[in-house]
Amino acid sequence: SISTHNVLRSNGGDALMQTFNRDKGETLLFHGTGSNMIQTLVENGFDERYARLNPKGTWGLYGAGVYFGEDPAKADQYCMDTPYGKKEQPGDDGLFHMIMGRVALGSVHFCGHGVKTGTITTPPNGKDSMLAEFKKIGFREFIIYEGDYAYPEYVIQYRRQ
């Protein structure tokens, strides 16, 4: 079970949990982005065609997908207005923003950290998404390669301490 399910249940979210499509592997996951992208994501949803290219001309470690995490601390690493983490800064309102998205993971391909898949645009082996586990640091990342498999459920605004 995805940890966000447990978080929701412990906070009285059972009614919301009943609306999930378990056959599609639907869950809530965090997506970090710059404050300058929040309005676009809310209005247009996720779009894998805008996956960030890094300076080497490749996509993220697991290819051109939309990346999510179970832990908001992982998503927070991507909450910046400048690309590639060179300068993290809040939006004009002094707040950082992330999205809790409703994500249909479908059939998941599991892979470990360090698997070099940076040029892929679909998950391998006919799967719908990928799950990368970072056991040393305790984070898991979920990658979908079709933006339509998710939509922004909540916008989270916060200040870093």
Side-chain angles (χ1 to χ4, degrees):
S1 144
I2 305 299
S3 68
T4 50
H5 291 171
N6 296 332
V7 170
L8 287 171
R9 282 194 183 102
S10 68
N11 289 299
D14 283 327
L16 177 62
M17 292 301 298
Q18 292 172 6
T19 68
F20 280 66
N21 184 333
R22 298 285 184 191
D23 293 338
K24 302 293 183 195
E26 196 172 53
T27 190
L28 290 176
L29 296 168
F30 298 98
H31 177 80
T33 190
S35 300
N36 57 337
M37 290 300 300
I38 289 294
Q39 193 63 36
T40 299
L41 285 170
V42 167
E43 291 174 1
N44 302 312
F46 298 101
D47 190 336
E48 73 286 352
R49 294 174 299 175
Y50 296 104
R52 256 194 332 218
L53 288 174
N54 68 32
K56 295 178 183 175
T58 60
W59 293 291
L61 185 60
Y62 299 99
V66 183
Y67 290 65
F68 295 89
E70 296 170 298
D71 191 322
K74 179 62 179 171
D76 178 65
Q77 294 175 348
Y78 300 97
C79 294
M80 62 195 82
D81 286 337
T82 57
Y84 320 116
K86 291 181 180 175
K87 183 179 179 188
E88 293 184 13
Q89 56 189 12
D92 293 338
D93 55 6
L95 299 172
F96 288 90
H97 300 78
M98 73 173 64
I99 289 178
M100 180 178 271
R102 185 180 285 238
V103 184
L105 296 170
S107 178
V108 179
H109 173 78
F110 294 89
C111 64
H113 176 65
V115 176
K116 297 193 190 259
T117 58
T119 59
I120 69 169
T121 57
T122 59
N125 305 322
K127 301 291 185 174
D128 300 307
S129 63
M130 285 183 43
L131 167 56
E133 296 198 61
F134 298 87
K135 292 183 181 183
K136 285 185 178 180
I137 57 175
F139 290 124
R140 301 193 313 169
E141 281 193 282
F142 299 81
I143 305 98
I144 58 170
Y145 297 87
E146 297 282 338
D148 291 341
Y149 288 7
Y151 72 87
E153 183 92 13
Y154 301 101
V155 173
I156 300 168
Q157 299 177 323
Y158 61 100
R159 292 186 199 284
R160 291 183 181 155
Q161 302 245 348

Coordinates of all heavy atoms in Angstrom, one line a residue, residues 84-152:
Y84 N 16.9 23.1 -12.5 CA 18.0 22.2 -12.1 C 18.5 22.5 -10.7 O 19.6 22.3 -10.4 CB 19.1 22.3 -13.1 CG 18.6 22.2 -14.5 CD1 18.8 23.3 -15.4 CD2 17.8 21.2 -15.0 CE1 18.3 23.3 -16.6 CE2 17.3 21.2 -16.2 CZ 17.5 22.3 -17.1 OH 17.0 22.3 -18.3
G85 N 17.7 23.2 -9.9 CA 18.1 23.4 -8.5 C 19.2 24.4 -8.3 O 19.8 24.4 -7.2
K86 N 19.5 25.2 -9.2 CA 20.7 26.1 -9.1 C 20.4 27.2 -8.0 O 21.3 27.6 -7.3 CB 21.0 26.8 -10.4 CG 21.6 25.8 -11.4 CD 22.0 26.5 -12.6 CE 22.6 25.5 -13.6 NZ 22.8 26.1 -14.9
K87 N 19.1 27.6 -7.9 CA 18.8 28.6 -6.9 C 17.3 28.4 -6.5 O 16.4 28.7 -7.3 CB 19.0 30.0 -7.5 CG 18.7 31.1 -6.5 CD 18.9 32.5 -7.2 CE 18.6 33.6 -6.2 NZ 18.6 34.9 -6.8
E88 N 17.1 27.9 -5.3 CA 15.8 27.7 -4.9 C 15.3 28.9 -4.2 O 16.0 29.6 -3.4 CB 15.8 26.5 -3.8 CG 16.1 25.2 -4.4 CD 16.0 24.1 -3.4 OE1 15.4 24.3 -2.4 OE2 16.4 23.0 -3.7
Q89 N 14.1 29.3 -4.6 CA 13.5 30.6 -4.0 C 12.0 30.4 -4.1 O 11.5 29.8 -4.9 CB 14.0 31.8 -4.8 CG 13.7 31.7 -6.3 CD 14.4 32.9 -7.0 OE1 15.2 33.6 -6.5 NE2 14.0 33.1 -8.3
P90 N 11.4 31.0 -3.1 CA 9.9 31.0 -3.1 C 9.3 31.8 -4.2 O 10.0 32.6 -4.8 CB 9.5 31.5 -1.7 CG 10.7 32.4 -1.4 CD 11.9 31.8 -2.0
G91 N 8.0 31.7 -4.4 CA 7.3 32.6 -5.4 C 7.3 34.0 -4.9 O 7.7 34.3 -3.8
D92 N 6.6 34.8 -5.6 CA 6.5 36.3 -5.3 C 5.8 36.5 -3.9 O 6.0 37.5 -3.3 CB 5.8 37.0 -6.4 CG 6.6 37.1 -7.7 OD1 7.8 37.0 -7.6 OD2 5.9 37.3 -8.7
D93 N 5.0 35.5 -3.6 CA 4.2 35.6 -2.3 C 5.0 35.1 -1.1 O 4.5 35.0 0.0 CB 2.9 34.8 -2.4 CG 3.1 33.4 -2.8 OD1 4.2 32.9 -2.9 OD2 2.1 32.7 -3.1
G94 N 6.3 34.7 -1.3 CA 7.1 34.2 -0.3 C 6.9 32.7 0.1 O 7.4 32.2 1.0
L95 N 6.0 32.1 -0.7 CA 5.6 30.7 -0.4 C 6.2 29.7 -1.5 O 6.3 30.1 -2.6 CB 4.1 30.5 -0.4 CG 3.4 31.4 0.6 CD1 1.9 31.3 0.4 CD2 3.7 30.9 2.0
F96 N 6.5 28.5 -1.0 CA 6.8 27.4 -2.0 C 5.5 26.7 -2.2 O 4.5 26.8 -1.4 CB 7.8 26.5 -1.4 CG 9.2 27.1 -1.3 CD1 9.6 27.8 -0.2 CD2 10.0 26.9 -2.4 CE1 10.9 28.3 -0.1 CE2 11.3 27.4 -2.3 CZ 11.7 28.1 -1.2
H97 N 5.4 26.1 -3.4 CA 4.2 25.4 -3.8 C 4.5 24.0 -4.3 O 5.5 23.7 -5.0 CB 3.5 26.1 -4.9 CG 3.1 27.5 -4.6 ND1 4.0 28.6 -4.5 CD2 1.9 28.0 -4.2 CE1 3.4 29.7 -4.2 NE2 2.1 29.4 -4.0
M98 N 3.6 23.0 -3.9 CA 3.6 21.7 -4.5 C 2.2 21.3 -4.7 O 1.3 21.9 -4.2 CB 4.4 20.7 -3.7 CG 3.8 20.3 -2.4 SD 4.7 18.9 -1.6 CE 6.2 19.7 -1.1
I99 N 2.1 20.2 -5.5 CA 0.8 19.7 -5.8 C 0.6 18.3 -5.2 O 1.6 17.5 -5.3 CB 0.5 19.6 -7.3 CG1 0.4 21.1 -7.8 CG2 -0.7 18.8 -7.7 CD1 0.2 21.2 -9.3
M100 N -0.5 18.0 -4.7 CA -0.8 16.6 -4.4 C -1.7 16.2 -5.5 O -2.8 16.7 -5.7 CB -1.6 16.4 -3.0 CG -1.9 15.0 -2.7 SD -2.7 14.8 -1.1 CE -1.3 14.6 -0.1
G101 N -1.2 15.2 -6.3 CA -2.0 14.8 -7.5 C -2.6 13.4 -7.3 O -2.1 12.6 -6.5
R102 N -3.7 13.3 -7.9 CA -4.4 11.9 -8.0 C -3.8 11.3 -9.2 O -3.9 11.7 -10.3 CB -5.9 12.1 -8.1 CG -6.6 10.8 -8.1 CD -8.1 11.0 -8.2 NE -8.7 11.5 -7.0 CZ -9.6 10.9 -6.3 NH1 -10.1 9.8 -6.7 NH2 -10.1 11.5 -5.2
V103 N -3.1 10.1 -8.9 CA -2.3 9.5 -9.9 C -2.8 8.1 -10.1 O -2.9 7.3 -9.2 CB -0.8 9.5 -9.5 CG1 0.1 8.9 -10.7 CG2 -0.3 10.9 -9.2
A104 N -3.0 7.7 -11.4 CA -3.3 6.3 -11.7 C -2.1 5.6 -12.2 O -1.6 5.8 -13.3 CB -4.4 6.3 -12.8
L105 N -1.5 4.8 -11.3 CA -0.2 4.2 -11.6 C -0.3 3.0 -12.5 O 0.6 2.6 -13.2 CB 0.5 3.8 -10.3 CG 0.9 4.9 -9.4 CD1 1.3 4.4 -8.0 CD2 2.0 5.8 -10.0
G106 N -1.5 2.3 -12.5 CA -1.7 1.2 -13.4 C -0.8 0.0 -13.0 O -0.5 -0.2 -11.8
S107 N -0.2 -0.6 -14.0 CA 0.8 -1.7 -13.7 C 2.2 -1.0 -13.6 O 2.6 -0.3 -14.5 CB 0.7 -2.7 -14.9 OG 1.7 -3.7 -14.8
V108 N 2.8 -1.3 -12.5 CA 4.1 -0.6 -12.2 C 5.3 -1.4 -12.5 O 5.4 -2.6 -12.1 CB 4.1 -0.2 -10.7 CG1 5.3 0.6 -10.3 CG2 2.8 0.7 -10.4
H109 N 6.3 -0.8 -13.1 CA 7.6 -1.5 -13.3 C 8.5 -1.0 -12.2 O 8.7 0.2 -12.0 CB 8.2 -1.0 -14.7 CG 9.6 -1.5 -14.8 ND1 9.9 -2.8 -15.2 CD2 10.8 -0.9 -14.7 CE1 11.2 -2.9 -15.3 NE2 11.8 -1.8 -15.0
F110 N 9.1 -1.9 -11.4 CA 9.9 -1.6 -10.3 C 11.4 -1.6 -10.8 O 11.8 -2.5 -11.5 CB 9.8 -2.6 -9.2 CG 8.4 -2.6 -8.6 CD1 7.4 -3.4 -9.1 CD2 8.1 -1.8 -7.5 CE1 6.1 -3.4 -8.5 CE2 6.9 -1.8 -6.9 CZ 5.9 -2.6 -7.4
C111 N 12.1 -0.6 -10.4 CA 13.5 -0.5 -10.7 C 14.3 0.1 -9.5 O 13.7 0.9 -8.8 CB 13.8 0.2 -12.0 SG 13.4 1.9 -12.0
G112 N 15.5 -0.2 -9.4 CA 16.3 0.3 -8.3 C 17.0 1.6 -8.7 O 16.9 2.1 -9.8
H113 N 17.6 2.3 -7.7 CA 18.3 3.5 -7.9 C 19.5 3.2 -8.8 O 20.2 2.2 -8.7 CB 18.8 4.1 -6.6 CG 19.6 5.3 -6.7 ND1 19.1 6.5 -7.3 CD2 20.9 5.5 -6.5 CE1 20.1 7.4 -7.3 NE2 21.2 6.8 -6.8
G114 N 19.9 4.1 -9.7 CA 21.0 4.0 -10.5 C 20.8 3.3 -11.8 O 21.7 3.2 -12.6
V115 N 19.6 2.9 -12.1 CA 19.2 2.3 -13.4 C 19.3 3.5 -14.4 O 18.6 4.5 -14.2 CB 17.9 1.7 -13.4 CG1 17.5 1.2 -14.7 CG2 17.8 0.5 -12.3
K116 N 20.1 3.4 -15.4 CA 20.3 4.5 -16.4 C 19.2 4.4 -17.4 O 19.3 3.6 -18.4 CB 21.7 4.5 -16.9 CG 22.7 4.7 -15.9 CD 24.0 5.0 -16.4 CE 25.0 4.9 -15.3 NZ 25.5 6.0 -14.7
T117 N 18.1 5.1 -17.3 CA 17.0 5.1 -18.2 C 16.6 6.5 -18.6 O 15.5 6.8 -19.0 CB 15.8 4.4 -17.6 OG1 15.4 5.2 -16.4 CG2 16.0 3.0 -17.2
G118 N 17.6 7.4 -18.6 CA 17.3 8.8 -18.8 C 16.7 9.2 -20.1 O 16.2 10.4 -20.3
T119 N 16.7 8.4 -21.1 CA 16.2 8.7 -22.4 C 14.9 8.1 -22.8 O 14.4 8.3 -23.9 CB 17.3 8.4 -23.5 OG1 17.5 7.0 -23.5 CG2 18.5 9.2 -23.3
I120 N 14.3 7.3 -21.8 CA 13.1 6.6 -22.2 C 11.9 7.6 -22.2 O 11.9 8.6 -21.5 CB 12.8 5.4 -21.3 CG1 12.5 5.8 -19.9 CG2 14.0 4.4 -21.3 CD1 12.0 4.7 -19.0
T121 N 10.9 7.3 -22.9 CA 9.6 8.0 -22.9 C 8.4 7.2 -22.6 O 7.3 7.7 -22.6 CB 9.4 8.7 -24.3 OG1 9.4 7.7 -25.3 CG2 10.5 9.7 -24.6
T122 N 8.6 5.9 -22.4 CA 7.6 5.0 -21.9 C 8.2 4.0 -20.9 O 9.4 3.7 -21.1 CB 6.9 4.2 -23.1 OG1 7.9 3.4 -23.7 CG2 6.2 5.1 -24.0
P123 N 7.4 3.5 -20.0 CA 8.0 2.5 -19.1 C 8.3 1.2 -19.8 O 7.6 0.9 -20.8 CB 6.9 2.3 -18.0 CG 5.7 2.9 -18.6 CD 6.0 3.8 -19.7
P124 N 9.2 0.4 -19.4 CA 9.6 -0.8 -20.0 C 8.5 -1.9 -19.8 O 7.7 -1.8 -18.9 CB 10.9 -1.2 -19.4 CG 11.0 -0.5 -18.2 CD 10.1 0.7 -18.3
N125 N 8.6 -3.0 -20.6 CA 7.9 -4.2 -20.4 C 6.3 -4.0 -20.4 O 5.6 -4.7 -19.7 CB 8.3 -4.9 -19.1 CG 9.7 -5.1 -19.0 OD1 10.4 -5.5 -20.0 ND2 10.3 -4.9 -17.8
G126 N 5.9 -3.0 -21.2 CA 4.4 -2.8 -21.3 C 3.7 -2.3 -20.1 O 2.5 -2.4 -20.0
K127 N 4.5 -1.8 -19.1 CA 3.9 -1.3 -17.9 C 3.4 0.1 -18.1 O 3.7 0.8 -19.1 CB 5.0 -1.3 -16.8 CG 5.5 -2.7 -16.5 CD 4.5 -3.6 -15.8 CE 5.2 -4.9 -15.4 NZ 4.3 -5.7 -14.7
D128 N 2.6 0.6 -17.1 CA 2.0 2.0 -17.2 C 2.9 3.1 -16.5 O 2.7 4.2 -16.8 CB 0.6 2.0 -16.6 CG -0.3 1.0 -17.3 OD1 -0.4 1.1 -18.5 OD2 -0.8 0.1 -16.6
S129 N 3.7 2.7 -15.5 CA 4.4 3.6 -14.8 C 5.7 2.9 -14.2 O 5.8 1.7 -14.4 CB 3.6 4.2 -13.6 OG 3.2 3.1 -12.7
M130 N 6.5 3.7 -13.6 CA 7.7 3.2 -12.9 C 7.8 3.6 -11.5 O 7.3 4.7 -11.1 CB 9.0 3.6 -13.7 CG 9.2 2.9 -15.0 SD 10.7 3.3 -15.9 CE 12.0 3.3 -14.6
L131 N 8.4 2.7 -10.7 CA 8.7 3.0 -9.3 C 10.2 2.8 -9.0 O 10.7 1.7 -9.2 CB 7.9 2.1 -8.4 CG 8.3 2.1 -6.9 CD1 8.2 3.5 -6.3 CD2 7.4 1.1 -6.1
A132 N 10.8 3.9 -8.7 CA 12.3 3.9 -8.4 C 12.4 4.0 -6.9 O 11.9 4.9 -6.2 CB 13.0 5.0 -9.1
E133 N 13.2 3.0 -6.3 CA 13.4 3.0 -4.9 C 14.8 3.5 -4.6 O 15.7 3.0 -5.1 CB 13.2 1.6 -4.3 CG 11.7 1.2 -4.5 CD 11.4 0.0 -3.5 OE1 11.5 0.2 -2.3 OE2 11.0 -1.0 -4.0
F134 N 14.9 4.4 -3.7 CA 16.2 4.9 -3.2 C 16.3 4.5 -1.7 O 16.1 5.2 -0.8 CB 16.2 6.5 -3.3 CG 16.0 7.0 -4.6 CD1 14.8 7.2 -5.2 CD2 17.1 7.3 -5.4 CE1 14.6 7.7 -6.5 CE2 17.0 7.8 -6.7 CZ 15.7 8.0 -7.2
K135 N 16.7 3.2 -1.6 CA 16.8 2.6 -0.2 C 17.7 3.3 0.7 O 17.4 3.5 1.9 CB 17.1 1.1 -0.3 CG 16.0 0.4 -1.0 CD 16.2 -1.1 -1.0 CE 15.0 -1.8 -1.7 NZ 15.1 -3.2 -1.8
K136 N 18.8 3.8 0.2 CA 19.8 4.5 1.1 C 19.3 5.7 1.7 O 19.6 6.1 2.8 CB 21.1 4.8 0.3 CG 21.9 3.6 0.1 CD 23.3 4.0 -0.6 CE 24.1 2.8 -0.8 NZ 25.4 3.1 -1.5
I137 N 18.4 6.5 0.9 CA 17.9 7.7 1.5 C 16.4 7.7 1.8 O 15.9 8.6 2.3 CB 18.2 8.9 0.5 CG1 17.6 8.6 -0.9 CG2 19.7 9.2 0.4 CD1 17.7 9.8 -1.9
G138 N 15.8 6.5 1.6 CA 14.4 6.3 2.0 C 13.3 6.9 1.2 O 12.2 6.9 1.6
F139 N 13.6 7.4 0.0 CA 12.5 7.9 -0.8 C 12.2 7.0 -2.0 O 13.1 6.2 -2.5 CB 13.0 9.2 -1.5 CG 13.1 10.4 -0.5 CD1 14.3 11.1 -0.4 CD2 12.0 10.8 0.3 CE1 14.4 12.1 0.5 CE2 12.1 11.8 1.2 CZ 13.3 12.5 1.3
R140 N 10.9 7.0 -2.4 CA 10.5 6.3 -3.6 C 10.0 7.4 -4.6 O 9.3 8.3 -4.1 CB 9.5 5.3 -3.3 CG 10.0 4.2 -2.3 CD 9.1 3.0 -2.2 NE 7.7 3.2 -2.1 CZ 6.8 2.2 -2.2 NH1 7.2 1.0 -2.4 NH2 5.5 2.4 -2.0
E141 N 10.3 7.2 -5.8 CA 9.7 8.1 -6.9 C 8.9 7.3 -7.8 O 9.2 6.2 -8.2 CB 10.8 8.8 -7.7 CG 11.5 10.0 -6.9 CD 12.3 10.8 -7.8 OE1 13.5 10.4 -8.1 OE2 11.9 11.9 -8.3
F142 N 7.7 7.9 -8.2 CA 6.8 7.3 -9.1 C 6.8 8.1 -10.4 O 6.7 9.4 -10.3 CB 5.4 7.3 -8.5 CG 5.3 6.4 -7.3 CD1 5.7 7.0 -6.0 CD2 4.8 5.1 -7.3 CE1 5.6 6.2 -4.9 CE2 4.8 4.4 -6.2 CZ 5.2 4.9 -5.0
I143 N 7.0 7.5 -11.5 CA 7.0 8.2 -12.8 C 6.0 7.7 -13.7 O 5.8 6.5 -13.9 CB 8.4 8.0 -13.5 CG1 9.6 8.4 -12.5 CG2 8.5 8.9 -14.7 CD1 10.2 7.3 -11.8
I144 N 5.2 8.7 -14.2 CA 4.2 8.3 -15.3 C 4.7 9.0 -16.6 O 5.3 10.0 -16.5 CB 2.8 8.8 -14.9 CG1 2.7 10.3 -14.6 CG2 2.2 8.0 -13.7 CD1 1.3 10.8 -14.5
Y145 N 4.3 8.4 -17.7 CA 4.8 8.9 -19.0 C 3.7 9.4 -19.8 O 3.8 9.8 -21.0 CB 5.6 7.8 -19.7 CG 6.8 7.4 -18.9 CD1 6.8 6.5 -17.9 CD2 8.0 8.1 -19.1 CE1 7.9 6.2 -17.1 CE2 9.1 7.8 -18.4 CZ 9.1 6.8 -17.4 OH 10.2 6.6 -16.6
E146 N 2.5 9.5 -19.2 CA 1.3 10.1 -19.8 C 0.7 11.0 -18.8 O 0.2 10.6 -17.8 CB 0.2 9.0 -20.2 CG 0.7 8.0 -21.2 CD 0.6 8.5 -22.6 OE1 -0.1 9.5 -22.9 OE2 1.3 8.0 -23.5
G147 N 0.7 12.3 -19.1 CA 0.2 13.3 -18.2 C -1.2 13.1 -17.8 O -1.7 13.5 -16.7
D148 N -2.0 12.5 -18.7 CA -3.4 12.2 -18.4 C -3.6 11.2 -17.3 O -4.8 11.0 -16.9 CB -4.1 11.8 -19.7 CG -4.2 12.9 -20.8 OD1 -4.1 14.1 -20.4 OD2 -4.4 12.5 -21.9
Y149 N -2.6 10.5 -16.9 CA -2.7 9.5 -15.8 C -2.8 10.2 -14.4 O -3.0 9.5 -13.4 CB -1.6 8.6 -15.8 CG -1.5 7.6 -17.0 CD1 -2.4 7.6 -18.0 CD2 -0.6 6.6 -17.0 CE1 -2.4 6.7 -19.1 CE2 -0.5 5.6 -18.0 CZ -1.4 5.7 -19.1 OH -1.4 4.8 -20.1
A150 N -2.8 11.5 -14.4 CA -2.8 12.2 -13.1 C -3.5 13.6 -13.3 O -3.5 14.1 -14.4 CB -1.4 12.4 -12.6
Y151 N -4.0 14.1 -12.2 CA -4.5 15.5 -12.2 C -4.2 16.1 -10.9 O -4.2 15.4 -9.9 CB -5.9 15.6 -12.7 CG -6.9 15.1 -11.7 CD1 -7.5 16.0 -10.7 CD2 -7.4 13.8 -11.8 CE1 -8.4 15.5 -9.9 CE2 -8.4 13.4 -10.9 CZ -8.9 14.2 -10.0 OH -9.8 13.8 -9.1
P152 N -4.1 17.4 -10.8 CA -3.8 18.1 -9.6 C -5.1 18.1 -8.7 O -6.1 18.6 -9.0 CB -3.5 19.5 -10.0 CG -3.4 19.5 -11.4 CD -4.1 18.3 -12.0

